[in-house]
Amino acid sequence: MTRYILTMEPNSSSPQYNVRLGVWANKSRGSILGATLTMNKQDASLIIAFVAIFIGYVGTRFWRIICVGLHRFHSSSQSRDVIHHQLQVTLRNSASAESTLSSLVKLPLAWHGQRARALYRVLPEVVLAICCLCAFVAAGGLSSRILLAGNEVILDAANCSYLQNSRSGADIYLAWQTETLSKAINYALNCYSSGIARDSLACDSYVVRELPTTLVDTTANCPFAGDICRSNTSNILLDTGYIDSNNHLGLNFASDDRILYRKVLHCAPIKNEGRNSSYKVPGFNYTRYDYGNGAVLALNYTVIAVNYTFEVIDRETQYREDYSRLGSFVNGGAFILDSTCSHTVNRTISREGQFYPDADLSRTDADLCLIFIAGNGVVFTEPTGDDWYRANTPCQRLIDVNNGRIVQYCADDAASSMACVQQYQVCNAKTSKCGPLASFWDALSEAADVFGATQSEISEAWDGGATNDAASRLIWFMKLLDKYPTNIGRMVKFSGPSSLFSRQNLANGVQRRLLPNQWQLDVTHWWYTTLALTQAAFVEAVRNTVDPKLAPIRVFPKYEAQQTMCMNQKIISPEHDSFSLFGVLFTFIFGILITVISYVLEPFLAYINRRFRHKPYSHLEWVSNGTLQLQRLAHEGVDSQDWSRCDEDVPITEAGRHLGCLDITDLGHPRLSRPTHVNTEGHNSLSGSRHSTALSADEASHQTDHITQISNQSSRPEYHNDSDDEIVDEEHRGIELWGPLQTR
């Protein structure tokens, strides 16, 4: 396939993607209807324009077929009125539905006093012409909608990989993660349900704008036993439902190879009374919070166990009485936001987490993260009843504004705590079987039998071992989610206070009015951010291929099933169009078929007439109503000449013979005159006469009657109109004025 470079974010420094041009199968539409042709926008525009012209041309050929059928349907050897014959001539010489419509509309307008009757006679053909014209105009105009399968494209990801943090690449990894989190936060703000600019073009790069959230319960109970939560009735529970790896994440696999993924988040502010203590070092005072023994990372990258969970500078230091020029506290400007997490492995809380929770916070069916917020000098314009921000204490100093005094409020404690429980579930779409709703690792390992593997095989495959294709795809799927900051604790830790939804009302260290459930709005925004990160995880695996700075920390898939999964990532590209190959082929094949039939139909009917004498009158009337045959008939009416090929499309005479011109003596009634020619004596003469001027009207009429009388007495075979199946003279045929076809 040809590669085409696509910049996903115009006017930005973001890396570029390689889009595969050509034919591929969109598995979400099946093997036949899913056949897709991807082209760049410029080439696609040419195809769309050509198809529109082609459809218009096919419309003219389709109308030709209808005209043949209508003409034969109306054909009759019985004498008919003028309107009948005018309709027949119009159908015979119609170039398109619009030209037929124009001619048919003129008929009732011309018949003064009989317009209603004339309109009634041509109304069916008018309706058919309008329907045909509208149908093909609409088909041509909507051809892009009919043919286009959307802007879904497949990324060329031959070097697809995920990023693995390491000591040597920590700086690169941290820079990548910071940039990634910033984009995800902005994407959540702009594109998810709480977005402020949902129509932004930046929201149209993934196969779906946002991943689903099937449950938002803001009155959930406490996720823990006991009374550690500040409320048992105003907590938040969020659930994605089952996310389809194809429909939602863009992994282009058949239905039997898809993975269903579910994520649940349950958060609640928790009490810190009795769990805080003071700690002093020279020059600084700290407040420590104990929800279980923690671990800190030393400067030499070694992990040190500590007997507390989180520490922060104490409240008094955060709110020093020094004012800045703008009226903010010296340390003001932004909150301190941090997190620490524990993980459950094999239904046991791991000792390798960031902290080991106390018994009243222990959950062996989930992963746990504690999130801490500290005022850090930020003052509030109003007291807040929010259970997490908890700022109801008037600050010691007041601000003078225009000689008035404004009371501001400080955080009640050095920090406030929130606990979030995270659970996951994976299902095999082929068998419709699911693993348990559990911690990240247990959701993966305990779903092993669902994907035809054992827990030990899953564990070995996670470290690089081999397994079956289904389990191998599952491993790669979960690794991308694990190596990407889709965990809410990790997202909060590395994005810091910029991830708070409340920052929209924060300026110069002053937090304006907060809603009583502000913490729930923050959690919801974090939730949407992690969903945006989930969407990005699979696309970013492709992004790594074009950024050389990330090469040292890239990890590539080892097995064919994983490589195939990586090579089938779909995105939405505004720079490309994807055509339904089935639609394109159907349009051209059907159009070509109609065109061929329209060109073959008349010769075929002529052959049937010659071979089997099938409906000879209908066939000969069609031929005789042709433009050149009507010309022959008109000239034969005023001058009998020897014409040949009178049963074909083009009649001819002897070489050098002249035809008469128009006699415009009566400008309101032009007619044909007898032809003139130069005789051997150099005089102009009428054919069969010595007169030098055109025949008068009476003479022409008399001459015509005389010719007709001679013709009727001729010894040539006579054609009988009793049946369409009679044998006719193959050499010479004529038509009586507004009467049935006759032979001479």
Side-chain angles (χ1 to χ4, degrees):
M1 294 295 180
T2 305
R3 293 185 180 183
Y4 182 85
I5 300 299
L6 164 67
T7 301
M8 292 302 299
E9 297 183 25
N11 302 321
S12 73
S13 59
S14 61
Q16 297 173 323
Y17 297 92
N18 292 331
V19 172
R20 242 165 50 193
L21 300 182
V23 178
W24 56 282
N26 191 333
K27 301 298 180 59
S28 61
R29 295 187 176 94
S31 56
I32 296 178
L33 296 180
T36 303
L37 172 65
T38 295
M39 308 177 71
N40 61 55
K41 208 76 171 180
Q42 183 177 2
D43 294 340
S45 298
L46 296 176
I47 293 294
I48 293 172
F50 176 77
V51 170
I53 295 172
F54 175 75
I55 290 175
Y57 173 73
V58 171
T60 63
R61 303 314 305 170
F62 182 76
W63 181 248
R64 184 67 172 179
I65 296 173
I66 292 179
C67 287
V68 172
L70 290 174
H71 191 280
R72 292 178 70 86
F73 175 77
H74 290 305
S75 180
S76 173
S77 60
Q78 302 299 319
S79 179
R80 293 289 187 269
D81 61 6
V82 176
I83 295 177
H84 169 84
H85 290 284
Q86 288 178 333
L87 175 61
Q88 289 291 83
V89 171
T90 300
L91 293 173
R92 172 62 178 87
N93 297 286
S94 172
S96 62
E98 54 266 35
S99 66
T100 303
L101 182 62
S102 176
S103 298
L104 292 180
V105 168
K106 294 176 182 178
L107 284 181
L109 296 177
W111 285 90
H112 301 288
Q114 301 184 49
R115 287 179 179 175
R117 178 173 174 270
L119 179 61
Y120 175 77
R121 294 285 298 279
V122 301
L123 185 60
E125 285 73 19
V126 169
V127 173
L128 276 176
I130 292 175
C131 291
C132 182
L133 179 62
C134 292
F136 280 92
V137 168
L142 298 175
S143 58
S144 61
R145 290 183 176 270
I146 297 171
L147 300 180
L148 288 178
N151 297 113
E152 285 188 347
V153 299
I154 285 287
L155 295 179
D156 186 353
N159 296 316
C160 177
S161 60
Y162 63 82
L163 302 183
Q164 177 69 58
N165 195 8
S166 64
R167 290 188 181 183
S168 60
D171 293 340
I172 299 174
Y173 185 85
L174 182 60
W176 165 81
Q177 187 166 246
T178 300
E179 178 187 7
T180 299
L181 286 169
S182 177
K183 291 180 180 179
I185 290 170
N186 290 331
Y187 187 91
L189 280 172
N190 291 330
C191 309
Y192 271 77
S193 296
S194 62
I196 56 178
R198 288 178 52 78
D199 293 331
S200 171
L201 293 176
C203 300
D204 296 330
S205 56
Y206 302 126
V207 291
V208 294
R209 174 166 294 197
E210 58 181 291
L211 295 182
T213 299
T214 60
L215 175 63
V216 179
D217 184 1
T218 57
T219 59
N221 58 10
C222 180
F224 309 101
D227 62 350
I228 193 171
C229 294
R230 291 193 176 275
S231 171
N232 287 320
T233 59
S234 60
N235 303 301
I236 189 167
L237 177 65
L238 301 164
D239 190 341
T240 62
Y242 294 105
I243 296 173
D244 189 296
S245 60
N246 183 310
N247 298 337
H248 297 113
L249 299 177
L251 294 173
N252 187 40
F253 279 94
S255 56
D256 288 348
D257 296 329
R258 298 179 187 179
I259 298 171
L260 302 180
Y261 169 72
R262 180 187 176 197
K263 181 178 179 180
V264 178
L265 179 67
H266 194 176
C267 295
I270 57 176
K271 300 175 182 178
N272 57 15
E273 290 80 5
R275 294 179 180 271
N276 55 337
S277 60
S278 298
Y279 176 74
K280 296 183 179 181
V281 296
F284 292 97
N285 295 328
Y286 289 90
T287 299
R288 289 178 171 176
Y289 293 89
D290 183 11
Y291 295 96
N293 292 338
V296 295
L297 187 65
L299 294 177
N300 60 357
Y301 293 98
T302 59
V303 177
I304 302 174
V306 295
N307 60 357
Y308 60 90
T309 308
F310 174 74
E311 74 173 4
V312 67
I313 195 168
D314 68 356
R315 178 182 177 279
E316 287 70 24
T317 305
Q318 293 179 34
Y319 289 95
R320 293 192 310 222
E321 295 184 357
D322 310 62
Y323 285 92
S324 70
R325 182 172 58 87
L326 296 177
S328 300
F329 292 100
V330 173
N331 288 340
F335 295 100
I336 293 175
L337 190 67
D338 202 356
S339 69
T340 182
C341 299
S342 69
H343 307 288
T344 300
V345 178
N346 299 326
R347 300 289 172 170
T348 302
I349 298 175
S350 173
R351 294 284 181 178
E352 297 181 0
Q354 296 171 336
F355 87 109
Y356 189 87
D358 290 340
D360 52 358
L361 287 174
S362 296
R363 288 281 298 265
T364 58
D365 63 340
D367 294 324
L368 171 66
C369 287
L370 299 184
I371 302 173
F372 298 89
I373 187 171
N376 193 35
V378 172
V379 294
F380 298 75
T381 58
E382 299 178 15
T384 175
D386 186 271
D387 284 340
W388 190 48
Y389 284 88
R390 302 182 67 243
N392 302 289
T393 304
C395 297
Q396 294 179 358
R397 299 291 298 273
L398 305 178
I399 297 179
D400 292 328
V401 178
N402 296 328
N403 298 321
R405 309 297 294 277
I406 296 179
V407 178
Q408 293 183 322
Y409 297 85
C410 298
D412 296 343
D413 298 300
S416 187
S417 314
M418 180 194 304
C420 288
V421 169
Q422 298 177 98
Q423 294 178 295
Y424 307 85
Q425 188 177 30
V426 289
C427 306
N428 190 333
K430 181 178 181 179
T431 61
S432 298
K433 294 182 178 180
C434 299
L437 186 64
S439 66
F440 185 87
W441 177 257
D442 289 349
L444 169 63
S445 63
E446 294 182 25
D449 60 330
V450 174
F451 290 86
T454 64
Q455 292 191 30
S456 60
E457 288 176 341
I458 289 292
S459 180
E460 293 174 2
W462 185 266
D463 295 327
T467 183
N468 66 67
D469 287 349
S472 182
R473 285 192 293 269
L474 175 63
I475 291 292
W476 184 256
F477 184 93
M478 297 298 280
K479 276 222 171 188
L480 292 181
L481 295 176
D482 179 62
K483 301 304 179 182
Y484 220 69
T486 59
N487 176 289
I488 194 170
R490 184 175 166 194
M491 185 275 296
V492 168
K493 177 177 283 293
F494 287 98
S495 60
S498 64
S499 66
L500 290 170
F501 195 66
S502 62
R503 70 187 176 98
Q504 298 177 77
N505 295 325
L506 175 66
N508 299 324
V510 178
Q511 179 68 61
R512 291 169 178 79
R513 183 175 182 271
L514 296 178
L515 296 175
N517 66 334
Q518 183 63 51
W519 75 270
Q520 292 186 344
L521 300 180
D522 287 324
V523 172
T524 303
H525 177 55
W526 295 339
W527 170 260
Y528 290 145
T529 301
T530 61
L531 295 185
L533 289 164
T534 300
Q535 290 177 277
F538 300 92
V539 176
E540 289 300 310
V542 180
R543 172 178 172 173
N544 297 338
T545 64
V546 293
D547 192 346
K549 295 184 298 183
L550 301 176
I553 56 175
R554 278 163 46 187
V555 178
F556 298 94
K558 295 181 61 176
Y559 302 105
E560 183 178 355
Q562 296 176 347
Q563 294 169 351
T564 302
M565 184 175 181
C566 212
M567 292 289 293
N568 281 275
Q569 179 63 52
K570 294 187 293 185
I571 63 169
I572 301 297
S573 166
E575 302 297 327
H576 295 81
D577 281 326
S578 290
F579 292 93
S580 168
L581 198 58
F582 175 84
V584 172
L585 293 178
F586 178 82
T587 299
F588 279 103
I589 291 174
F590 190 66
I592 291 172
L593 181 63
I594 290 176
T595 303
V596 170
I597 290 175
S598 71
Y599 281 111
V600 170
L601 181 60
E602 294 178 50
F604 174 75
L605 292 176
Y607 170 78
I608 293 296
N609 176 67
R610 289 194 304 270
R611 182 71 176 82
F612 302 105
R613 304 298 183 191
H614 177 68
K615 294 187 176 182
Y617 184 85
S618 296
H619 171 69
L620 291 177
E621 185 180 11
W622 174 265
V623 173
S624 298
N625 285 160
T627 303
L628 297 179
Q629 290 290 0
L630 289 175
Q631 181 192 44
R632 171 186 67 82
L633 292 171
H635 283 283
E636 279 188 333
V638 297
D639 177 45
S640 178
Q641 296 187 17
D642 292 330
W643 291 82
S644 60
R645 297 186 179 180
C646 299
D647 60 344
E648 299 179 12
D649 289 335
V650 182
I652 60 175
T653 65
E654 295 178 359
R657 295 301 298 269
H658 289 228
L659 297 179
C661 298
L662 282 177
D663 178 2
I664 58 173
T665 304
D666 183 354
L667 295 178
H669 191 168
R671 65 184 67 200
L672 289 174
S673 64
R674 295 283 299 276
T676 62
H677 63 86
V678 179
N679 60 24
T680 56
E681 299 177 359
H683 300 289
N684 291 338
S685 64
L686 291 168
S687 177
S689 173
R690 290 292 181 182
H691 297 292
S692 60
T693 58
L695 293 175
S696 67
D698 292 339
E699 290 172 331
S701 176
H702 175 75
Q703 181 69 19
T704 301
D705 291 341
H706 180 67
I707 293 173
T708 303
Q709 182 180 3
I710 294 174
S711 177
N712 290 337
Q713 296 174 355
S714 173
S715 60
R716 292 177 181 270
E718 187 174 354
Y719 178 77
H720 300 281
N721 298 323
D722 296 335
S723 169
D724 267 345
D725 296 325
E726 295 287 344
I727 299 176
V728 297
D729 180 2
E730 292 292 340
E731 288 186 15
H732 202 99
R733 298 173 175 85
I735 185 167
E736 184 179 282
L737 188 61
W738 312 126
L741 195 66
Q742 300 289 336
T743 61
R744 297 181 182 178

